[in-house]
Amino acid sequence: MKLQVINSPFNEEQIKLLNELLPKLTVEQKIWLNGYLSAPQATLDALVESAPPAAQPITQTITILYGSQTGNSQGLAEKYASTLKAQNVDVTVASLGKFKAANLKKITNLLLIVSTHGEGDPPDQAIQFYEFLHSKRAPKLDHLHYSVLALGDSSYEFFCKTGKDFDEQFAKLGATRIAPRIDCDVDYDDDAAQWFSAVQEKFLQQPAEVAATVVQNELTQAPAATTYSKKNPFYAEVLENINLNGRGSNKETRHLELSIEGANFQFEPGDSIGIQPENDEKLVDALLTALHLDPAAEVTVADETLSLKDALQKRLEITVLSKPLLEKISVYTEHPEFSRLLAESNAWKDYAKGRDLLDVVEDFAPFTWSAQQFIEILRKIPARLYSIASSQKANPDEVHLTIGKVSYETAGRQRLGVCSGSVAERLQIGDTLPIYVHKNPNFRLPENQDTPIIMIGAGTGIAPYRAFLEEREELGIEGNAWLIFGDQHFVTDFLYQTDWQRWLAAGTLSQMHVAFSRDTDKKVYVQHKLEENAASFYEWLEQGAVIYVCGDEKTMAADVDATIHRIIEQQGQKTPEEAKAFVNELKQQKRYQRDVY
């Protein structure tokens, strides 16, 4: 008897597979299978172990593309690809930087995992694909089934904009969604898992609970090397906490040395350390006083019951004001000024700049929320990522970080960065910090050790280059390394000066140019040093050099990028369009890598 959907509990795809398989089975195979299916659950594992291995049929094909600036999207793409492969899906995984957009016509199922960078921009590796898809050359995609997972940060105005743009454009080109897009904030794990479960349910026609179980099994079967993670950080002892700036500096930059003995961490130069910070207790106490809520009141945060004070100090963000947060707050106040704050286009931005939740509570009381309602409008405290400033080859049981103290005054009150303020003012030698390794495959030394490298950074953006050169020193690599560093004053702000001098003397560093912006009447920045050495810079590019830029995105990195375009245009005798295409090609080849914030 031939199986059909109407005479069996199977779906069409399963019916097709069974009807192909059953006629080919021998009598012995049918008897074994009958016994296997009718056996008690307790004996199934034993039967499976005794059965000969059999090749599993490939039932579906899918392509997973990722656009990643710091590695989050890539990590998720690779994890979900592994899960789908275990479910007999033929999976292709690729960066948007390496995937030829014209090949969209050749695939039928697509998962896109993409982050939004800065003020709504695509990651560097995704720019060309993004521009192609939004151009007149983009093909009709009526045949394509797709789903988008968007990563972002809700404290930015254009939250998850790149993912939203891709999702809308695929739909405009005629593609059909496998599952709805989900927009993830910085604490993305649960939302991403929810999206993937929905994709599995539709794509593999699996019940959601089965899909969720598969994802959970993947997580629980992770190797011991990844035991410590964002959800399960390693508590690293503080070995050193030194102020790198000299007396009289406008800045305070901390060099932190942490013991990672026993953590089994594996990292490379270019990776970061994530620190799970806590809010300043004084700020929490002031907020609780202004709220007129009982600090000991029990609240629930992500299935964890704890006191309101512990929730605000250890779990929830109270120092950043975003439009989504202000919109949630508006439900609990009838203050007329608060309504105007959200109604006028830029009013909320002007108010939010430099302010925190305590300002809102003091300025717009009274509020009608309970303790539980209040904490439910807040997101978790995001981990802070800091570029690793040391080589694991040189310091196997330590990791070094370079952390600039954030300190400013707004509305008559002194403010401190959540993590940097704690490190600078409260963290003592012998204390511990909850940390994990954050991989960044988009900021890496070249595989070929002879490839020239040009490292450009200002302030704490110098950190990864210390790791780069310490690694190269350990490997015995000399020459073809050029560093351009900038800060305010030569005397007080020349971070790691003795290290650079030692590497210059040893030949690990070929040349170095410095820009100290406050030492003369004319402010000199790293892009000016780049321009002064334009001919050499272009010559290094022609020799295959890789450019690295690390530091502030809005000012330093943007100015450096404009300067690089201008140098390529002038030295290479190219039009602005040709220079732009040249720079985009450098990015695709990973010869222009940025770690900016």
Side-chain angles (χ1 to χ4, degrees), residues 33-245:
L33 187 60
N34 181 62
Y36 174 77
L37 294 175
S38 60
Q41 185 63 39
T43 64
L44 290 182
D45 290 343
L47 284 167
V48 170
E49 288 175 8
S50 64
Q56 297 293 325
I58 297 296
T59 61
Q60 291 272 35
T61 62
I62 200 164
T63 298
I64 304 180
L65 299 179
Y66 59 85
S68 188
Q69 192 72 29
T70 61
N72 289 333
S73 297
Q74 181 174 347
L76 288 173
E78 291 170 349
K79 181 174 77 171
Y80 294 153
S82 176
T83 300
L84 288 171
K85 286 176 182 177
Q87 294 170 302
N88 306 315
V89 178
D90 184 6
V91 186
T92 300
V93 186
S95 162
L96 285 172
K98 293 184 177 179
F99 182 80
K100 292 183 179 179
N103 286 339
L104 283 173
K105 294 183 288 187
K106 300 177 183 179
I107 62 176
T108 54
N109 298 302
L110 170 67
L111 300 182
L112 176 64
I113 305 175
V114 65
S115 62
T116 294
H117 190 54
E119 298 299 327
D121 299 320
D124 289 346
Q125 297 288 309
I127 291 173
Q128 280 190 326
F129 186 91
Y130 180 92
E131 291 178 347
F132 172 84
L133 202 70
H134 287 80
S135 72
K136 293 179 180 179
R137 295 180 295 126
K140 285 292 182 184
L141 299 174
D142 299 344
H143 67 288
L144 184 68
H145 294 80
Y146 78 100
S147 187
V148 174
L149 179 67
L151 304 187
D153 183 340
S154 64
S155 66
Y156 285 85
E157 182 179 1
F158 301 103
F159 174 55
C160 287
K161 183 179 184 297
T162 300
K164 293 173 182 176
D165 289 350
F166 272 122
D167 187 37
E168 292 171 6
Q169 189 63 12
F170 278 126
K172 284 181 183 177
L173 295 171
T176 304
R177 290 182 181 90
I178 298 171
R181 184 192 77 245
I182 285 186
D183 300 332
C184 300
D185 209 341
V186 286
D187 189 33
Y188 58 80
D189 295 296
D190 292 341
D191 286 337
Q194 179 187 338
W195 171 81
F196 187 57
S197 293
V199 167
Q200 286 179 295
E201 183 177 3
K202 295 291 185 182
F203 182 67
L204 298 174
Q205 297 181 343
Q206 282 186 339
E209 58 269 19
V210 174
T213 300
V214 172
V215 175
Q216 187 59 39
N217 288 342
E218 287 287 317
L219 294 175
T220 56
Q221 291 170 10
T226 57
T227 298
Y228 293 109
S229 63
K230 183 159 58 172
K231 287 193 172 183
N232 180 34
F234 175 77
Y235 282 78
E237 181 183 352
V238 179
L239 303 175
E240 287 286 359
N241 186 356
I242 304 167
N243 183 7
L244 294 175
N245 298 99

